Amino acid sequence: MIIDLPDTTISQVAKKLVSVREEGGAVALGRVLTLIIAARNGVAEAAIDAANDASREHPMRVIVLTVGDGDAHLDAQIRVGGDAGASEVVVLRAFGDAASNAESLVTGLLLPDAPVVAWWPEAAPADPASSPLGRIAQRRITDAAASADVRDRLGLLGQEHSPGDTDLAWTRLTHWREQLAAVLDQPPFESVTAVEVRGSASSPSTALLASWLGLALDVPVAWAYEDPEQWSEGIKSVRLTRASGDILLERPEPGTAILTQPGQPDHDLHLPRRTLRECLAEELRRLDPDVLYGRVITEGWEKLGPPASAA
């Protein structure tokens, strides 16, 4: 069910939510958090779809805030039932001066006594934690892949990092990290002496994986960007050098990886690029600060040198 509320106020939206709950049952029952999405119209629907899918694992209230130019007014829309997955969605479209105070727009709609997560699917504030929406959130989710200059954005994330910040470029690495950790947890238990990471220049995950490996293994990490004509999606390969020979985890084409180890046959692995829904659902599983990500984006990033292509 979709309910449109043109030229409205936050008070009227809150009252309508109560009315919908009374008419349709306790739709807020079991909601575990409030997710605030700050996005322009062209991105908001994709973000809502991802949130609706994730809500089947994390029932929540989703507040979507978009801003625009024009005469000061607020349009709202409430979505429940089949149009909202296992969540309830409130879309706020603020125009002119009505968009001047983002915090006041959403505060009256937050679930009481529930954690708040803020998500910027595209351009994010330079310092998310000190932004109007970031100040009221326990977790703050950004996506460096949406930045025009990936390396500058990662450097800024490290400089401005606060506990509770995270980035979907890090979340997309989960399966790569799991595979590499599983390999190193098998004999022979030799030290890694060098690491090489290659991937797309448009993928901040390439640099974050290099940063994580350098921090975790305390070894030199060489990383480079692949030719865009040869590879344009995410991470291409990771090479770990040990005394007995190199371990190579390579993705020759999107979705498929090959693991090569000394003295063993090659293994084909399913390693697809993670969907937005998967990444969002993973981030919503933990509402405490991601300490490892904080170390990777600060300590690890400071240790990591420039990519070979930029040297």
Side-chain angles (χ1 to χ4, degrees), residues 30 53 76 79 89 168 212 294 311:
D53 281 346
R79 305 180 189 182
V89 179
L168 294 185
W212 172 67

Side-chain angles (χ1 to χ4, degrees), residues 80 117 127 134-135 138 144 146 175 188 195 200 243 265 271 288:
V80 295
V117 179
D127 182 0
R135 286 195 296 265
Q138 283 76 42
H175 292 334
V195 175
S200 168
L271 196 61
D288 58 318

Side-chain angles (χ1 to χ4, degrees), residues 7-301:
D7 197 11
T8 188
T9 65
I10 293 300
S11 176
Q12 291 172 341
V13 174
K15 290 178 181 178
K16 189 62 179 179
L17 277 170
V18 173
S19 172
V20 169
R21 187 177 310 130
E22 292 174 346
E23 293 173 4
V27 297
L29 187 64
R31 302 287 183 250
V32 298
L33 61 91
T34 301
L35 175 66
I36 304 171
I37 303 174
R40 57 187 170 86
N41 286 328
V43 175
E45 286 302 326
I48 292 171
D49 287 344
N52 285 346
D53 281 346
S55 72
R56 304 183 194 285
E57 182 177 341
H58 311 281
M60 56 187 159
R61 173 173 291 175
V62 180
I63 303 173
V64 185
L65 178 60
T66 68
V67 299
D69 298 324
D71 295 335
H73 72 283
L74 175 68
D75 294 335
Q77 186 180 80
I78 297 173
R79 305 180 189 182
V80 295
D83 295 294
S87 64
E88 52 188 1
V89 179
V90 181
V91 181
L92 303 176
R93 299 184 177 92
F95 299 87
D97 289 343
S100 61
N101 192 331
E103 185 175 351
S104 67
L105 284 172
V106 302
T107 299
L109 300 175
L110 301 178
L111 290 174
D113 302 320
V116 177
V117 179
W119 175 29
W120 295 267
E122 46 178 355
D127 182 0
S130 66
S131 68
L133 296 180
R135 286 195 296 265
I136 61 177
Q138 283 76 42
R139 291 296 303 273
R140 295 163 294 276
I141 305 172
T142 56
D143 191 352
S147 174
D149 192 321
V150 167
R151 187 167 173 83
D152 281 355
R153 180 60 190 169
L154 288 176
L156 186 60
L157 286 175
Q159 293 171 16
E160 304 296 343
H161 177 76
S162 295
D165 291 352
T166 193
D167 195 276
L168 294 185
W170 170 249
T171 322
R172 294 186 186 103
L173 287 176
T174 297
H175 292 334
W176 280 87
R177 291 168 51 215
E178 288 173 345
Q179 289 291 347
L180 293 169
V183 169
L184 294 177
D185 200 33
Q186 300 172 8
F189 301 106
E190 299 173 325
S191 298
V192 174
T193 58
V195 175
E196 180 190 69
V197 179
R198 305 186 70 88
S200 168
S202 63
S203 168
S205 297
T206 300
L208 283 178
L209 183 58
S211 177
W212 172 67
L213 286 167
L215 184 68
L217 300 175
D218 194 24
V219 295
V221 177
W223 63 294
Y225 292 136
E226 287 286 309
D227 183 342
E229 295 183 1
Q230 302 296 322
W231 189 258
S232 60
E233 181 181 310
I235 299 162
K236 175 67 178 295
S237 65
V238 177
R239 183 183 299 274
L240 306 177
T241 300
R242 299 194 298 189
S244 61
D246 289 357
I247 298 169
L248 177 62
L249 180 60
E250 183 174 26
R251 189 162 55 179
E253 60 185 32
T256 303
I258 299 173
L259 176 62
T260 303
Q261 303 178 80
Q264 296 188 30
D266 291 350
H267 296 282
D268 293 333
L269 304 173
H270 183 56
L271 196 61
R273 186 175 176 83
R274 304 191 73 195
T275 66
L276 185 60
R277 182 266 169 201
E278 290 173 327
C279 291
L280 180 62
E282 179 178 325
E283 285 302 332
L284 296 179
R285 287 183 197 124
R286 60 177 306 163
L287 297 175
D288 58 318
D290 187 337
V291 176
L292 179 57
Y293 166 74
R295 292 190 62 209
V296 168
I297 199 65
T298 54
E299 298 174 43
W301 185 255

